[in-house]
Amino acid sequence: MGVSEAKVCKTFQINNRRYLGNKYKLLPFITGVVEKECAGIETVADIFAGTGAVASAFPDKAVITNDLMYSNYICHCAWFGAQAYDQKKIADFVARYNAKTRCGENYMTRNFAGTYFNKRNCAKIGYIREDIERSYKKGELNERERALLITSLLYAMDKIAATCGHYDAYRKGAAYEGALELAVPLARANNRPGNRCFNEDANELVKRIRADLVYIDPPYNSRQYCDAYHLLENVARWEKPEVFGVAKKMDRSGMKSRYCTAGAAEAFEALVGDIRARYILLSYNNMAEKGNSRSNAKISDEDILRILRQKGVVKVFSESYKPFTTGRSDIEENAERLFLCTCYDGA
C-alpha cells in the first residue's frame, strides 16, 4: 500500500476520548500550579494516569505513567513509550484495516454482536485485534507499534459504541452510530528515553520509583473503572475470557481498586508514606457528601490533610469544574482541588 493511500486516514490526539475523571480540561490549572510552585522539575510520575492527559502536559519532562487497567497502560505505551516507531507503517496498517470488509465470525461476534456494537462492527473489531497480535508475533510490529494500533482500535470503538461513554450497560434499541473507522494516533516518534510505563498497583510501584513530582489522581468514589471500561479492557488484553450477564462483563476480581472502597484512606496513607519525591500533587474533588452514596468521596479532607502534612508542607488550590460522569449526577458547585505537598526530606 502506497503512502498516498495511507494519507487519507484520519488522525487523533490523546484527548479524543471520553473517560470518567479525565483531567484534560484542567491541564492549565494543573500546569499553572506546577510552574508557579514547583522548582527544578525534571521527572514527573503520574501514578493513576487514566488516559494519560496529565502526563501529556509535560512533554519536556521524563514521564513515568502507571495505571491498574491494561487498556490504559497500552495507550500510555503508545503515547509516551521510549521506543521509536515507523509512522508510515502505522498509517499503512490503519488504511488496510479500514478497507477490510469481510471479517468473518470471531470472539467479538460470538459475545458482543447486538450489544455495544452491531455484528458487522464486532466482526471487524475481532479481526483487527487478532491481526495486530498475529503481526506482532511474526515480528512485523515492534512493541510500541503494537500499542499504537491497539490504541487506535480502542479509540475507534469508543466513538461508535452504543453507550453513554462507559460500558456499565449498553443502550438497548439505540441506533448504531456508523461503521468502525480507525485513525492514526499523532504520537511523537521519538519520546524522551527516560520515559517508563507501568501496569500495576500504585502502592507497590512507588516503593521502586523516584521522581521530582508525583501526581496522584486516584478514583474518588465507589465506581470501579474496570466495571465502566471492561469491554475495552477485554479487547486490549485479548485473552478471550468468558463473559456473563446482560452487560457481558468478564471476571474483573483482580482489577479492583482499593481507592473505591472504605479502605481508601488507609491505602492513601500507605502510598504517601512510600513516595520518594520532592513534591506530591494530589487531585481530589469536593464531592464529600454532595451526591449519592456511590458518588461521595472515599477520602475526607481531614484525612488528606493529616496524611500529607506528615510528609511535608501543604498548600491547597481550587477551581470550579464539571467533570464527565455517567450522566446520573448533576452536582452544584463542584470543584477540583489540588493538594500540593512539598516534602520535608525532598527525596
Side-chain angles (χ1 to χ4, degrees):
M1 182 173 297
V3 178
S4 59
E5 186 174 353
K7 281 184 179 178
V8 303
C9 296
K10 296 178 181 178
T11 60
F12 68 98
Q13 304 273 10
I14 191 171
N15 59 294
N16 298 141
R17 181 182 171 193
R18 297 174 295 177
Y19 195 78
L20 295 169
N22 191 342
K23 296 298 185 295
Y24 182 74
K25 292 182 179 179
L26 285 169
L27 291 185
F29 174 45
I30 294 169
T31 56
V33 169
V34 172
E35 290 169 3
K36 183 178 179 181
E37 304 287 339
C38 306
I41 299 297
E42 295 295 333
T43 307
V44 176
D46 185 354
I47 60 176
F48 295 85
T51 64
V54 172
S56 74
F58 298 96
D60 58 332
K61 317 295 183 191
V63 296
I64 300 170
T65 63
N66 177 66
D67 202 274
L68 196 57
M69 292 182 62
Y70 183 84
S71 51
N72 287 334
Y73 159 76
I74 202 69
C75 293
H76 302 161
C77 293
W79 297 116
F80 308 113
Q83 187 177 33
Y85 76 95
D86 185 334
Q87 294 171 307
K88 178 184 177 300
K89 183 196 295 186
I90 297 300
D92 286 347
F93 265 84
V94 167
R96 176 165 64 84
Y97 289 152
N98 285 340
K100 183 73 176 178
T101 55
R102 296 187 178 184
C103 299
E105 296 285 337
N106 53 52
Y107 173 77
M108 291 298 294
T109 59
R110 291 190 294 271
N111 289 284
F112 298 101
T115 59
Y116 306 95
F117 308 96
N118 61 29
K119 186 172 182 178
R120 181 185 60 188
N121 285 328
C122 278
K124 195 160 188 174
I125 291 166
Y127 168 81
I128 291 171
R129 186 64 188 87
E130 193 68 31
D131 190 74
I132 292 170
E133 216 57 30
R134 182 168 51 245
S135 299
Y136 173 66
K137 290 176 180 176
K138 288 169 61 178
E140 296 173 1
L141 299 169
N142 66 26
E143 290 183 3
R144 190 164 178 219
E145 288 163 348
R146 171 181 177 269
L148 284 157
L149 289 174
I150 295 172
T151 298
S152 178
L153 177 59
L154 297 181
Y155 275 60
M157 289 170 59
D158 224 24
K159 281 186 174 295
I160 62 167
T163 70
C164 297
H166 59 91
Y167 297 82
D168 260 339
Y170 54 89
R171 294 180 293 166
K172 295 180 182 179
Y176 293 104
E177 299 177 6
L180 183 81
E181 182 182 9
L182 272 62
V184 176
L186 294 176
R188 294 174 59 172
N190 295 289
N191 282 322
R192 292 182 60 124
N195 287 5
R196 291 179 287 165
C197 304
F198 295 93
N199 170 218
E200 58 186 271
D201 186 326
N203 281 57
E204 295 302 316
L205 176 65
V206 295
K207 298 174 184 177
R208 309 195 320 272
I209 64 170
R210 184 189 302 270
D212 294 321
L213 170 67
V214 172
Y215 175 72
I216 307 175
D217 182 22
Y220 298 159
N221 53 46
S222 64
R223 292 187 173 92
Q224 293 278 356
Y225 280 70
C226 61
D227 294 340
Y229 299 103
H230 63 94
L231 181 53
L232 298 184
E233 188 74 1
N234 193 342
V235 171
R237 291 174 179 267
W238 205 236
E239 296 166 349
K240 303 175 189 172
E242 180 182 356
V243 296
F244 50 88
V246 174
K248 302 291 185 179
K249 295 182 179 181
M250 60 186 180
D251 179 18
R252 306 169 309 288
S253 54
M255 307 175 200
K256 303 290 186 178
S257 172
R258 285 178 288 169
Y259 291 86
C260 299
T261 71
E266 182 181 358
F268 180 64
E269 187 161 15
L271 177 80
V272 170
D274 287 329
I275 286 176
R276 294 178 295 173
R278 293 167 53 210
Y279 302 98
I280 297 171
L281 187 62
L282 168 72
S283 277
Y284 215 73
N285 72 16
N286 67 338
M287 281 298 296
E289 300 294 329
K290 292 183 178 181
N292 59 42
S293 59
R294 291 189 67 200
S295 298
N296 292 338
K298 291 295 181 183
I299 310 176
S300 68
D301 286 2
E302 291 76 14
D303 278 337
I304 290 173
L305 292 170
R306 173 182 61 81
I307 292 165
L308 289 178
R309 282 170 178 161
Q310 293 172 4
K311 192 77 172 182
V313 177
V314 180
K315 292 183 179 181
V316 184
F317 306 85
S318 180
E319 180 162 294
S320 296
Y321 175 55
K322 183 175 177 58
F324 168 69
T325 71
T326 60
R328 302 173 191 169
S329 302
D330 189 14
I331 307 300
E332 296 294 329
E333 298 181 0
N334 195 48
E336 187 73 17
R337 283 92 47 76
L338 291 175
F339 297 79
L340 177 65
C341 175
T342 302
C343 301
Y344 292 130
D345 55 12

Short mmCIF file of all heavy atoms in Angstrom, two decimals, residues 5-14 16 79 85-96 98 148-149 151-153 155-156 181-187:
data_model
loop_
_atom_site.label_atom_id
_atom_site.label_comp_id
_atom_site.label_asym_id
_atom_site.label_seq_id
_atom_site.Cartn_x
_atom_site.Cartn_y
_atom_site.Cartn_z
N GLU A 5 -2.14 6.43 -0.48
CA GLU A 5 -3.38 5.83 0.01
C GLU A 5 -3.47 5.97 1.52
O GLU A 5 -4.54 6.22 2.07
CB GLU A 5 -3.42 4.36 -0.39
CG GLU A 5 -4.74 3.70 -0.04
CD GLU A 5 -4.85 2.28 -0.56
OE1 GLU A 5 -3.94 1.86 -1.31
OE2 GLU A 5 -5.81 1.60 -0.20
N ALA A 6 -2.33 5.81 2.21
CA ALA A 6 -2.34 5.91 3.67
C ALA A 6 -2.68 7.32 4.14
O ALA A 6 -3.21 7.49 5.22
CB ALA A 6 -0.97 5.49 4.21
N LYS A 7 -2.40 8.31 3.32
CA LYS A 7 -2.62 9.70 3.74
C LYS A 7 -4.09 10.03 3.94
O LYS A 7 -4.41 11.03 4.56
CB LYS A 7 -2.01 10.65 2.70
CG LYS A 7 -0.49 10.79 2.81
CD LYS A 7 0.03 11.82 1.82
CE LYS A 7 1.53 12.00 1.95
NZ LYS A 7 2.06 12.95 0.96
N VAL A 8 -5.01 9.21 3.41
CA VAL A 8 -6.42 9.53 3.56
C VAL A 8 -6.92 9.21 4.96
O VAL A 8 -8.04 9.56 5.31
CB VAL A 8 -7.28 8.76 2.53
CG1 VAL A 8 -6.82 9.07 1.11
CG2 VAL A 8 -7.23 7.25 2.77
N CYS A 9 -6.12 8.53 5.76
CA CYS A 9 -6.54 8.17 7.12
C CYS A 9 -6.68 9.42 7.99
O CYS A 9 -5.91 10.36 7.90
CB CYS A 9 -5.51 7.23 7.76
SG CYS A 9 -5.34 5.66 6.93
N LYS A 10 -7.68 9.39 8.85
CA LYS A 10 -7.84 10.45 9.83
C LYS A 10 -6.80 10.28 10.93
O LYS A 10 -6.18 9.23 11.06
CB LYS A 10 -9.25 10.40 10.42
CG LYS A 10 -10.36 10.67 9.41
CD LYS A 10 -11.73 10.56 10.06
CE LYS A 10 -12.83 10.80 9.05
NZ LYS A 10 -14.18 10.63 9.65
N THR A 11 -6.65 11.32 11.73
CA THR A 11 -5.71 11.27 12.85
C THR A 11 -6.43 11.62 14.14
O THR A 11 -7.56 12.13 14.12
CB THR A 11 -4.54 12.25 12.63
OG1 THR A 11 -5.07 13.58 12.53
CG2 THR A 11 -3.75 11.91 11.37
N PHE A 12 -5.80 11.34 15.27
CA PHE A 12 -6.39 11.73 16.56
C PHE A 12 -5.31 12.00 17.58
O PHE A 12 -4.15 11.57 17.44
CB PHE A 12 -7.37 10.65 17.06
CG PHE A 12 -6.73 9.34 17.46
CD1 PHE A 12 -6.44 9.05 18.78
CD2 PHE A 12 -6.45 8.38 16.51
CE1 PHE A 12 -5.89 7.84 19.15
CE2 PHE A 12 -5.89 7.16 16.86
CZ PHE A 12 -5.61 6.89 18.19
N GLN A 13 -5.70 12.74 18.62
CA GLN A 13 -4.81 13.12 19.71
C GLN A 13 -5.19 12.35 20.97
O GLN A 13 -6.25 11.74 21.06
CB GLN A 13 -4.93 14.63 19.98
CG GLN A 13 -4.66 15.51 18.79
CD GLN A 13 -3.20 15.84 18.60
OE1 GLN A 13 -2.33 15.27 19.27
NE2 GLN A 13 -2.90 16.78 17.72
N ILE A 14 -4.36 12.44 21.98
CA ILE A 14 -4.58 11.72 23.22
C ILE A 14 -5.89 12.10 23.90
O ILE A 14 -6.53 11.27 24.56
CB ILE A 14 -3.39 11.95 24.19
CG1 ILE A 14 -3.48 11.00 25.39
CG2 ILE A 14 -3.30 13.41 24.64
CD1 ILE A 14 -2.23 11.01 26.27
N ASN A 16 -8.79 12.76 22.58
CA ASN A 16 -10.01 12.45 21.82
C ASN A 16 -10.69 11.19 22.33
O ASN A 16 -10.94 10.24 21.58
CB ASN A 16 -9.68 12.30 20.33
CG ASN A 16 -9.14 13.57 19.71
OD1 ASN A 16 -8.23 13.52 18.89
ND2 ASN A 16 -9.67 14.71 20.10
N TRP A 79 1.47 6.49 23.54
CA TRP A 79 1.71 7.94 23.58
C TRP A 79 3.08 8.31 24.14
O TRP A 79 3.71 9.26 23.66
CB TRP A 79 0.63 8.63 24.42
CG TRP A 79 -0.75 8.50 23.88
CD1 TRP A 79 -1.81 7.87 24.46
CD2 TRP A 79 -1.26 9.01 22.64
NE1 TRP A 79 -2.93 7.93 23.68
CE2 TRP A 79 -2.62 8.65 22.55
CE3 TRP A 79 -0.70 9.74 21.60
CZ2 TRP A 79 -3.42 8.98 21.47
CZ3 TRP A 79 -1.50 10.09 20.52
CH2 TRP A 79 -2.83 9.71 20.46
N TYR A 85 9.19 4.31 16.45
CA TYR A 85 8.29 3.53 15.60
C TYR A 85 8.24 4.13 14.21
O TYR A 85 8.63 5.28 13.99
CB TYR A 85 6.89 3.44 16.22
CG TYR A 85 6.06 4.70 16.10
CD1 TYR A 85 5.15 4.88 15.05
CD2 TYR A 85 6.15 5.74 17.04
CE1 TYR A 85 4.37 6.01 14.94
CE2 TYR A 85 5.38 6.88 16.94
CZ TYR A 85 4.48 7.02 15.88
OH TYR A 85 3.72 8.15 15.77
N ASP A 86 7.72 3.34 13.28
CA ASP A 86 7.61 3.73 11.87
C ASP A 86 6.22 4.33 11.64
O ASP A 86 5.23 3.61 11.62
CB ASP A 86 7.84 2.50 10.99
CG ASP A 86 7.88 2.82 9.50
OD1 ASP A 86 7.26 3.83 9.09
OD2 ASP A 86 8.50 2.05 8.74
N GLN A 87 6.16 5.63 11.46
CA GLN A 87 4.87 6.31 11.30
C GLN A 87 4.14 5.88 10.03
O GLN A 87 2.92 5.70 10.04
CB GLN A 87 5.10 7.82 11.29
CG GLN A 87 5.59 8.37 12.63
CD GLN A 87 6.02 9.82 12.54
OE1 GLN A 87 6.84 10.18 11.69
NE2 GLN A 87 5.47 10.66 13.41
N LYS A 88 4.88 5.67 8.95
CA LYS A 88 4.25 5.23 7.70
C LYS A 88 3.66 3.84 7.87
O LYS A 88 2.57 3.54 7.35
CB LYS A 88 5.26 5.24 6.56
CG LYS A 88 4.67 4.74 5.25
CD LYS A 88 5.71 4.66 4.15
CE LYS A 88 5.09 4.09 2.86
NZ LYS A 88 4.54 2.72 3.04
N LYS A 89 4.35 2.96 8.60
CA LYS A 89 3.84 1.61 8.81
C LYS A 89 2.50 1.64 9.53
O LYS A 89 1.56 0.92 9.16
CB LYS A 89 4.85 0.77 9.61
CG LYS A 89 4.41 -0.68 9.81
CD LYS A 89 5.22 -1.37 10.91
CE LYS A 89 6.68 -1.50 10.53
NZ LYS A 89 7.41 -2.30 11.57
N ILE A 90 2.39 2.49 10.55
CA ILE A 90 1.14 2.60 11.29
C ILE A 90 0.02 3.09 10.38
O ILE A 90 -1.09 2.56 10.38
CB ILE A 90 1.29 3.53 12.51
CG1 ILE A 90 2.33 2.95 13.50
CG2 ILE A 90 -0.05 3.76 13.20
CD1 ILE A 90 1.98 1.59 14.04
N ALA A 91 0.31 4.09 9.56
CA ALA A 91 -0.68 4.61 8.63
C ALA A 91 -1.11 3.54 7.63
O ALA A 91 -2.29 3.44 7.28
CB ALA A 91 -0.14 5.84 7.91
N ASP A 92 -0.16 2.74 7.17
CA ASP A 92 -0.48 1.67 6.22
C ASP A 92 -1.38 0.61 6.86
O ASP A 92 -2.34 0.14 6.24
CB ASP A 92 0.81 1.03 5.70
CG ASP A 92 1.55 1.92 4.71
OD1 ASP A 92 0.95 2.91 4.24
OD2 ASP A 92 2.73 1.62 4.42
N PHE A 93 -1.07 0.21 8.07
CA PHE A 93 -1.90 -0.77 8.77
C PHE A 93 -3.32 -0.22 8.97
O PHE A 93 -4.31 -0.93 8.76
CB PHE A 93 -1.29 -1.12 10.13
CG PHE A 93 -0.43 -2.36 10.12
CD1 PHE A 93 0.90 -2.31 9.73
CD2 PHE A 93 -0.95 -3.58 10.52
CE1 PHE A 93 1.69 -3.45 9.73
CE2 PHE A 93 -0.18 -4.73 10.52
CZ PHE A 93 1.16 -4.67 10.12
N VAL A 94 -3.41 1.03 9.40
CA VAL A 94 -4.73 1.64 9.63
C VAL A 94 -5.54 1.67 8.34
O VAL A 94 -6.73 1.33 8.33
CB VAL A 94 -4.57 3.05 10.24
CG1 VAL A 94 -5.90 3.82 10.19
CG2 VAL A 94 -4.07 2.96 11.67
N ALA A 95 -4.91 2.08 7.25
CA ALA A 95 -5.61 2.14 5.97
C ALA A 95 -6.07 0.74 5.54
O ALA A 95 -7.18 0.58 5.01
CB ALA A 95 -4.71 2.76 4.91
N ARG A 96 -5.23 -0.25 5.75
CA ARG A 96 -5.61 -1.62 5.38
C ARG A 96 -6.78 -2.11 6.22
O ARG A 96 -7.72 -2.74 5.70
CB ARG A 96 -4.40 -2.55 5.53
CG ARG A 96 -4.72 -4.02 5.25
CD ARG A 96 -3.48 -4.84 5.04
NE ARG A 96 -2.65 -4.92 6.23
CZ ARG A 96 -2.85 -5.79 7.22
NH1 ARG A 96 -3.89 -6.62 7.20
NH2 ARG A 96 -2.04 -5.82 8.26
N ASN A 98 -9.08 -0.29 7.66
CA ASN A 98 -10.29 0.44 7.28
C ASN A 98 -10.89 -0.07 5.97
O ASN A 98 -12.11 -0.02 5.77
CB ASN A 98 -10.01 1.94 7.17
CG ASN A 98 -9.86 2.60 8.53
OD1 ASN A 98 -10.32 2.08 9.54
ND2 ASN A 98 -9.21 3.76 8.56
N LEU A 148 0.35 1.20 19.54
CA LEU A 148 -0.28 2.26 18.77
C LEU A 148 -1.51 1.76 18.02
O LEU A 148 -2.55 2.43 17.98
CB LEU A 148 0.73 2.86 17.78
CG LEU A 148 1.77 3.81 18.41
CD1 LEU A 148 3.01 3.89 17.55
CD2 LEU A 148 1.17 5.19 18.61
N LEU A 149 -1.43 0.57 17.46
CA LEU A 149 -2.57 0.03 16.73
C LEU A 149 -3.70 -0.39 17.67
O LEU A 149 -4.88 -0.19 17.37
CB LEU A 149 -2.12 -1.14 15.85
CG LEU A 149 -1.26 -0.75 14.65
CD1 LEU A 149 -0.73 -1.99 13.93
CD2 LEU A 149 -2.04 0.13 13.67
N THR A 151 -4.29 1.04 20.51
CA THR A 151 -4.83 2.34 20.93
C THR A 151 -5.77 2.90 19.87
O THR A 151 -6.87 3.39 20.18
CB THR A 151 -3.68 3.33 21.20
OG1 THR A 151 -2.88 2.83 22.27
CG2 THR A 151 -4.21 4.71 21.56
N SER A 152 -5.38 2.80 18.62
CA SER A 152 -6.23 3.26 17.52
C SER A 152 -7.56 2.51 17.53
O SER A 152 -8.63 3.11 17.36
CB SER A 152 -5.52 3.06 16.18
OG SER A 152 -6.34 3.45 15.11
N LEU A 153 -7.52 1.21 17.77
CA LEU A 153 -8.73 0.40 17.81
C LEU A 153 -9.62 0.79 18.99
O LEU A 153 -10.84 0.95 18.84
CB LEU A 153 -8.37 -1.08 17.89
CG LEU A 153 -9.52 -2.06 18.00
CD1 LEU A 153 -10.48 -1.94 16.81
CD2 LEU A 153 -9.00 -3.49 18.13
N TYR A 155 -9.80 3.65 20.66
CA TYR A 155 -10.39 4.98 20.44
C TYR A 155 -11.50 4.90 19.39
O TYR A 155 -12.54 5.57 19.52
CB TYR A 155 -9.32 5.98 19.98
CG TYR A 155 -8.54 6.65 21.10
CD1 TYR A 155 -7.78 5.90 22.01
CD2 TYR A 155 -8.53 8.03 21.24
CE1 TYR A 155 -7.05 6.51 23.01
CE2 TYR A 155 -7.80 8.65 22.23
CZ TYR A 155 -7.05 7.89 23.13
OH TYR A 155 -6.32 8.50 24.13
N ALA A 156 -11.30 4.08 18.36
CA ALA A 156 -12.32 3.95 17.31
C ALA A 156 -13.58 3.28 17.86
O ALA A 156 -14.70 3.66 17.52
CB ALA A 156 -11.75 3.14 16.14
N GLU A 181 -14.10 2.95 12.18
CA GLU A 181 -13.06 3.56 11.36
C GLU A 181 -11.88 3.94 12.23
O GLU A 181 -11.99 4.78 13.12
CB GLU A 181 -13.58 4.80 10.63
CG GLU A 181 -12.52 5.44 9.73
CD GLU A 181 -13.01 6.70 9.04
OE1 GLU A 181 -14.11 7.18 9.39
OE2 GLU A 181 -12.28 7.22 8.18
N LEU A 182 -10.75 3.30 11.98
CA LEU A 182 -9.55 3.62 12.74
C LEU A 182 -8.91 4.90 12.23
O LEU A 182 -9.11 5.30 11.08
CB LEU A 182 -8.54 2.47 12.66
CG LEU A 182 -8.68 1.36 13.70
CD1 LEU A 182 -10.02 0.65 13.58
CD2 LEU A 182 -7.53 0.35 13.59
N ALA A 183 -8.14 5.55 13.10
CA ALA A 183 -7.39 6.75 12.73
C ALA A 183 -5.95 6.57 13.22
O ALA A 183 -5.65 5.68 14.01
CB ALA A 183 -8.02 7.99 13.35
N VAL A 184 -5.09 7.42 12.73
CA VAL A 184 -3.66 7.33 13.07
C VAL A 184 -3.37 8.19 14.29
O VAL A 184 -3.65 9.39 14.28
CB VAL A 184 -2.79 7.80 11.88
CG1 VAL A 184 -1.32 7.80 12.26
CG2 VAL A 184 -3.04 6.92 10.66
N PRO A 185 -2.85 7.60 15.37
CA PRO A 185 -2.53 8.40 16.55
C PRO A 185 -1.35 9.32 16.30
O PRO A 185 -0.32 8.90 15.77
CB PRO A 185 -2.19 7.35 17.62
CG PRO A 185 -1.91 6.09 16.89
CD PRO A 185 -2.57 6.17 15.56
N LEU A 186 -1.51 10.59 16.66
CA LEU A 186 -0.43 11.57 16.45
C LEU A 186 0.52 11.53 17.65
O LEU A 186 0.62 12.48 18.43
CB LEU A 186 -1.01 12.97 16.25
CG LEU A 186 -1.84 13.15 14.97
CD1 LEU A 186 -2.44 14.54 14.91
CD2 LEU A 186 -0.98 12.88 13.74
N ALA A 187 1.21 10.41 17.78
CA ALA A 187 2.16 10.22 18.87
C ALA A 187 3.56 10.59 18.41
O ALA A 187 3.92 10.35 17.24
CB ALA A 187 2.14 8.76 19.33
#
